[in-house]
Amino acid sequence: KQKVFILIKATVLIVVVGLFLMPVSYFSQGNNVAQGASLDSLFQEKNKLKSEISNNQKKVTQKQKEATNLTYTLKTIDNNITTTESKIQDLQNQIEQTQREIEETENQIVQKQQELDQERAKRNETIRLMYEQNQGNDLYLIIGSNTLSEAIDKVQYFETLEGKIEKTIADVNQLKKELEDQKNSLGQKKSDLANMKSEQEAYKQGLTQQHAEKEIILSDVNSQKKKLEEQIEEAKKMSTQVEAQIASIQASLRQSS
């Protein structure tokens, strides 16, 4: 009986020890499985973050190229605006110079008109005196002269004087006509310059508008680039955290094994 009792007691002890040991081993195995599943998930997350970082870096590179091209375009537009402003100023200077030439020509026309009026008055006065003194007849010049030579000299004098006056009038008329033609030519030149200036100002306005539009696009591109860079930095931080978790789980698995 005593041997049977000892055998039963030993059997019970083995069963009890087995019951205590079995859950520990089962739990350890289950924990390893859970950690392995978590590790797979973390590796997937890490790869996903790596892919996201790579894609965003490519986008940043593209945005940088766009920003560089836009900056170059803006610089070109600025240069064109500067050149156009120089052309506008040059045309304005030419317009002002042409206006001064027109005014000078107008003054010359007025002066020639005065000379013409004076020559005509001189001619009229000479003719009046001739007729008053001689009643417009060469015979009276001869009779009123002491000698024939004196009479001939008087006739020649009046003819020469009238011829000079007529030539002066013709010369003044010709100069006045030339001045009028010059004035018209200058007026046309001024009109052409004004049209050219208007065209350049319209071109400048278009450039200014284009510049403003490109500035808006550049600002938007830089904003997108900055946002992508922030996303990259955030993804890098998350990737670092994931790598730390992976390292922790791997260490835990090594210890449990």
Side-chain angles (χ1 to χ4, degrees), residues 141-174:
L141 287 174
I142 297 173
I143 296 174
S145 301
N146 294 325
T147 63
L148 180 60
S149 177
E150 183 182 347
I152 292 173
D153 289 343
K154 286 183 178 180
V155 171
Q156 289 179 344
Y157 168 74
F158 284 118
E159 288 178 350
T160 301
L161 180 60
E162 187 171 1
K164 287 182 178 181
I165 292 172
E166 289 294 337
K167 184 176 183 305
T168 301
I169 291 174
D171 290 343
V172 172
N173 274 327
Q174 179 63 30

Side-chain angles (χ1 to χ4, degrees), residues 53-102:
I53 291 170
S54 177
N55 290 335
N56 282 341
Q57 284 176 334
K58 290 178 182 178
K59 291 179 181 179
V60 167
T61 300
Q62 179 61 33
K63 292 301 177 182
Q64 182 60 51
K65 289 181 181 178
E66 292 178 17
T68 300
N69 292 335
L70 283 167
T71 301
Y72 176 78
T73 301
L74 285 170
K75 185 177 180 181
T76 302
I77 293 173
D78 284 335
N79 291 336
N80 289 338
I81 289 175
T82 300
T83 301
T84 303
E85 287 175 342
S86 178
K87 289 181 180 179
I88 291 172
Q89 185 58 51
D90 181 61
L91 288 168
Q92 181 59 36
N93 293 337
Q94 292 184 54
I95 289 172
E96 292 174 358
Q97 176 62 30
T98 304
Q99 181 59 37
R100 287 192 291 271
E101 291 176 6
I102 289 173

Side-chain angles (χ1 to χ4, degrees), residues 176-191:
K176 183 182 176 184
K177 182 179 181 303
E178 291 175 0
L179 289 170
E180 289 286 356
D181 292 342
Q182 182 179 350
K183 178 184 175 182
N184 293 333
S185 176
L186 289 170
Q188 183 61 47
K189 179 182 178 181
K190 181 182 177 182
S191 177

